[in-house]
Amino acid sequence: MCILFNCITLGMYQPCADEVCTSSRCRLLEMFDDFIFAFFAIEMMIKTIAMGITGKGSYMSDSWNRLDCFIVFAGCRVIWNRHRYDFVDVARLKIPNK
């Protein structure tokens, strides 16, 4: 169900028109994207805790799970890059200029 919802939101995204995400539609899609990413990241964490990371019958022994892991780590990178400038701006406010 979450995969279908992700496909719908990806289809609604307009990369040429949404270069800088300022419209309410783009912000809403970005919020849904963050929710979907969190869902998949939590699913990955639960499965790695339940199955173990390596070994026979573990999370990484299944190729679909390795693909999911790659997608979650790629999503971490995308979210980090999206919010990186916010973190840098906050750090600049806290560091006094000399």
Side-chain angles (χ1 to χ4, degrees), residues 3-91:
I3 293 172
L4 178 64
F5 183 63
N6 189 25
C7 292
I8 292 169
T9 58
L10 283 173
M12 293 171 64
Y13 181 68
Q14 298 171 346
C16 294
D18 295 331
E19 214 168 285
V20 178
C21 189
T22 55
S23 67
S24 60
R25 181 189 55 77
C26 182
R27 295 259 184 214
L28 183 65
L29 290 174
E30 194 173 80
M31 185 179 67
F32 284 145
D33 187 45
D34 290 345
F35 170 77
I36 291 167
F37 168 75
F39 177 83
F40 286 125
I42 290 168
E43 177 196 23
M44 185 187 88
M45 285 188 278
I46 290 171
K47 287 175 86 173
T48 54
I49 290 169
M51 299 171 74
I53 295 174
T54 59
K56 187 176 182 181
S58 68
Y59 181 78
M60 292 305 249
S61 66
D62 183 34
S63 58
W64 286 110
N65 288 339
R66 287 193 300 267
L67 176 65
D68 286 343
C69 182
F70 173 77
I71 291 169
V72 166
F73 281 113
C76 285
R77 177 71 181 183
V78 168
I79 288 176
W80 172 258
N81 283 339
R82 186 186 320 149
H83 298 293
R84 177 179 58 174
Y85 299 110
D86 296 337
F87 296 139
V88 171
D89 291 341
V90 170

